[in-house]
């Protein structure tokens, strides 16, 4: 018995050594060698202390995970961290988070930076709600969701600049345009299944990005589109100087001009969008169409046998998700005032997909937690520069070890056959 324990510890040390060796190879260029710009040009400065610390950290972490796994296997079957299973508890927690977000701009911790970060998190929550209809509810792996995000942004910018439409008209039109594009693509590609569908959506996103880059006369090419009009409130602009015939918000209410007013307005605007999309997604799950989504996800052949049209059901999920993505893109364009193809690359699709998967495929609390972790924390730790991504990756590994099915993988059924 003692011999067996010694053998396992020896194997664990060997595995930790191999992990540290692989980390050393990877970290050598990223951490061990740093380029410095000086009067003689670029020079390479070694950072051996940081390099050694990171490699040693990998060795210790691998050894600790091995010990943790061994204890969990042999001494205790009980997980170290268990979320409560009470559905009412989650609803109260979600409501408390919502109240905190509503009152945040009027609390002492509020600042322009904090509001900008939370606005970004809420934007990704809108995107995650949309993608979850396709990935979480219908079971289709979509790797090109950023295409509809970008399509909505460019449609909004062109409608506002070329046709002079205001925010409240251009946003729903941009959302409809993204939905129509999804319909035209979906009627041909949704007959595919599994990995083939994922590859086609990825290809579509890349085609759209290349079109945006090369159609210079319409999209501005790599320079993008600048000067996208900001949203207004009932015709009241949030700018300091407004065109003749218009009135600014601060003049109308008799306040001193402050750029923070526009930031707070955008904050509540995207919060209203999150609430709207949340209500839509929740209501959709209770409708026959939402139940058809889940039936298709569970078993396509069984769904088809009971009369569900697979293509139409998938198409409905794909179009609704694209319309939500287009609305998020329109808000993004109005908030930033500038868009370019670089804002809608594959990394955006991957990030939104990570939010959905890490959140547990559809639980609203999970989407909020995953968006805070994946979008908010890297922004908060931006001062750490490249090291923040190492912390980000380490956090992802820890969550996947503790919660391999996502933060909130258990979902309550939309309808029960027999109520409790």
């Amino acid at each position: 018995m003692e011999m067996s324990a010694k053998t396992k510890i020896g194997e664990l040390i060997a595995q930790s050594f191999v992990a540290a060796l692989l980390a050393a190879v990877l970290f050598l260029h990223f951490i061990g060698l740093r380029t410095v710009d000086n009067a003689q040009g670029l020079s390479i400065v070694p950072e051996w202390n940081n390099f050694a610390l990171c490699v040693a950290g990998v060795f210790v972490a691998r050894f600790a995970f091995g010990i943790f796994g061994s204890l969990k296997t042999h001494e205790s079957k009980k997980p170290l961290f268990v979320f409560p299973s009470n559905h009412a508890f989650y609803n109260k927690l979600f409501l408390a988070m919502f109240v905190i977000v509503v009152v945040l701009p009027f609390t002492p911790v509020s600042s322009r930076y904090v509001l900008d970060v939370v606005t970004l998190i809420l934007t990704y929550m809108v995107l995650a709600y949309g993608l979850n209809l396709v990935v979480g509810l219908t079971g289709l792996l979509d790797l090109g969701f950023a295409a509809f995000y970008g399509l909505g942004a460019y449609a909004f910018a062109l409608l506002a600049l070329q046709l002079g439409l205001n925010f409240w008209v251009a946003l729903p039109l941009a959302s409809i345009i993204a939905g129509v594009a999804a319909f035209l693509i979906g009627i041909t590609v949704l007959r595919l299944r599994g990995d083939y569908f994922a590859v086609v959506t990825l290809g579509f996103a890349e085609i759209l990005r290349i079109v945006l880059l090369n159609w210079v006369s319409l999209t501005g090419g790599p320079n993008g589109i600048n000067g996208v009009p900001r949203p207004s409130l009932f015709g009241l602009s949030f700018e300091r100087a407004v065109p003749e015939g218009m009135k600014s918000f601060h003049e109308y209410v008799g306040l001193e001009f402050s750029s923070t007013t526009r930031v707070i307005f955008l904050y509540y605007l995207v919060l209203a969008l999150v609430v709207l999309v949340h209500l839509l997604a929740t209501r959709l799950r209770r409708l026959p169409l939402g139940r058809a989504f889940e039936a298709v996800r569970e078993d396509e052949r069984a769904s088809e046998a009971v009369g569900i049209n697979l293509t139409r059901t998938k198409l409905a999920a794909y179009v609704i998700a694209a319309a939500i993505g287009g609305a998020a893109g329109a808000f993004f364009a109005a908030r930033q005032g500038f868009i370019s193809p670089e804002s809608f690359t594959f990394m955006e699709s991957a990030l939104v997909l990570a939010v959905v998967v890490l959140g547990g495929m559809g639980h609203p609390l999970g989407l909020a937690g995953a968006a805070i972790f994946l979008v908010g924390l890297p922004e908060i730790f931006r001062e750490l520069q490249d090291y923040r991504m190492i912390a980000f990756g380490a956090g992802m590994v820890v969550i996947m070890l503790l919660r391999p099915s996502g933060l909130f993988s258990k979902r309550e059924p939309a309808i029960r056959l027999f109520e409790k």
Side-chain angles (χ1 to χ4, degrees):
M1 188 70 181
E2 184 180 352
M3 187 68 184
S4 176
K6 288 182 179 178
T7 304
K8 288 186 178 179
I9 289 180
E11 291 176 357
L12 193 55
I13 291 174
Q15 292 171 1
S16 304
F17 179 75
V18 172
L21 188 61
L22 290 174
V25 174
L26 292 173
F27 291 169
L28 180 62
H29 295 287
F30 293 107
I31 299 175
L33 301 173
R34 182 166 61 91
T35 55
V36 177
D37 190 7
N38 51 35
Q40 289 75 34
L42 282 177
S43 61
I44 298 177
V45 177
E47 295 277 353
W48 299 126
N49 290 338
N50 293 337
F51 174 74
L53 281 174
C54 291
V55 173
V58 170
F59 181 88
V60 173
R62 178 65 186 90
F63 188 81
F65 279 129
I67 294 292
F68 167 76
S70 176
L71 291 175
K72 187 177 177 183
T73 304
H74 295 97
E75 296 183 2
S76 174
K77 297 291 184 183
K78 186 178 180 180
L80 295 179
F81 186 70
V82 179
F83 281 90
S85 58
N86 189 349
H87 187 60
F89 169 78
Y90 290 133
N91 287 337
K92 291 178 182 176
L93 187 57
F94 187 68
L95 184 62
M97 289 180 65
F98 176 73
V99 172
I100 291 172
V101 173
V102 169
V103 301
L104 179 64
F106 306 102
T107 59
V109 299
S110 175
S111 66
R112 177 161 185 168
Y113 175 71
V114 170
L115 294 180
D116 279 338
V117 171
V118 179
T119 301
L120 187 64
I121 292 171
L122 293 174
T123 305
Y124 275 90
M125 280 190 68
V126 175
L127 289 168
Y129 268 113
L131 185 60
N132 182 62
L133 292 178
V134 178
V135 178
L137 280 188
T138 316
L140 301 172
L141 182 57
D142 185 354
L143 295 179
F145 194 63
F148 302 113
Y149 183 39
L151 196 58
Y154 271 88
F156 175 85
L158 293 173
L159 288 170
L161 290 173
Q162 304 292 337
L163 302 181
L165 300 181
N166 65 39
F167 174 81
W168 303 101
V169 177
L171 185 140
L173 285 179
S175 176
I176 292 172
I177 289 172
V180 171
F183 176 80
L184 296 176
I185 297 166
I187 54 178
T188 55
V189 305
L190 282 172
R191 298 179 189 280
L192 302 175
R193 296 183 179 182
D195 300 339
Y196 299 104
F197 176 77
V199 171
V200 169
T201 55
L202 178 60
F204 164 68
E206 281 302 299
I207 289 171
L208 180 71
R209 191 179 66 83
I210 291 171
V211 169
L212 293 176
L213 275 173
N214 291 281
W215 198 349
V216 179
S217 61
L218 183 68
T219 65
N223 296 324
I225 298 177
N226 201 2
V228 180
R230 307 283 188 176
S232 61
L233 179 64
F234 300 116
L236 299 173
S237 172
F238 288 88
E239 303 296 331
R240 181 191 294 273
V242 296
E244 190 176 352
M246 286 189 67
K247 204 165 187 178
S248 62
F249 179 80
H250 68 279
E251 289 175 345
Y252 184 80
V253 298
L255 296 174
E256 288 289 329
F257 172 77
S258 173
S259 58
T260 309
T261 308
R262 179 174 58 81
V263 176
I264 294 175
F265 173 66
L266 291 171
Y267 176 88
Y268 282 115
L269 193 61
V270 72
L271 179 61
L273 198 57
V274 170
V275 172
L276 186 65
V277 174
H278 171 73
L279 294 176
L280 173 67
T282 306
R283 182 64 182 164
L284 196 59
R285 281 195 67 202
R286 293 179 174 275
L287 293 176
L289 181 60
R291 278 176 273 163
F293 290 164
E294 294 184 299
V296 171
R297 179 195 63 198
E298 296 300 329
D299 194 321
E300 289 193 6
R301 293 186 183 278
S303 305
E304 200 168 19
V306 296
I308 294 175
N309 188 309
L310 293 182
T311 304
R312 289 181 182 177
T313 303
K314 293 179 183 177
L315 190 59
Y318 197 57
V319 169
I320 295 172
I324 294 174
F331 172 80
F332 173 79
R335 174 175 175 254
Q336 296 293 114
F338 168 75
I339 53 173
S340 73
E342 295 306 312
S343 300
F344 312 105
T345 60
F346 170 71
M347 289 307 296
E348 290 299 310
S349 298
L351 184 56
V352 180
L353 182 63
V355 171
V356 173
V357 173
L358 190 64
M361 295 284 192
H363 197 290
L365 202 57
L367 292 181
I372 292 170
F373 179 78
L374 294 176
V375 180
L377 290 187
E379 290 295 326
I380 293 171
F381 293 108
R382 184 171 286 277
E383 292 182 357
L384 298 178
Q385 299 180 353
D386 295 338
Y387 297 108
R388 68 192 175 105
M389 298 312 296
I390 296 175
F392 173 81
M396 287 277 291
V397 171
V398 171
I399 289 180
M400 285 294 105
L401 286 171
L402 296 177
R403 303 288 299 174
S405 300
L407 291 175
F408 295 91
S409 57
K410 184 179 180 181
R411 281 182 299 182
E412 283 287 309
I415 293 178
R416 293 181 184 275
L417 183 59
F418 301 104
E419 294 292 339
K420 290 180 179 179

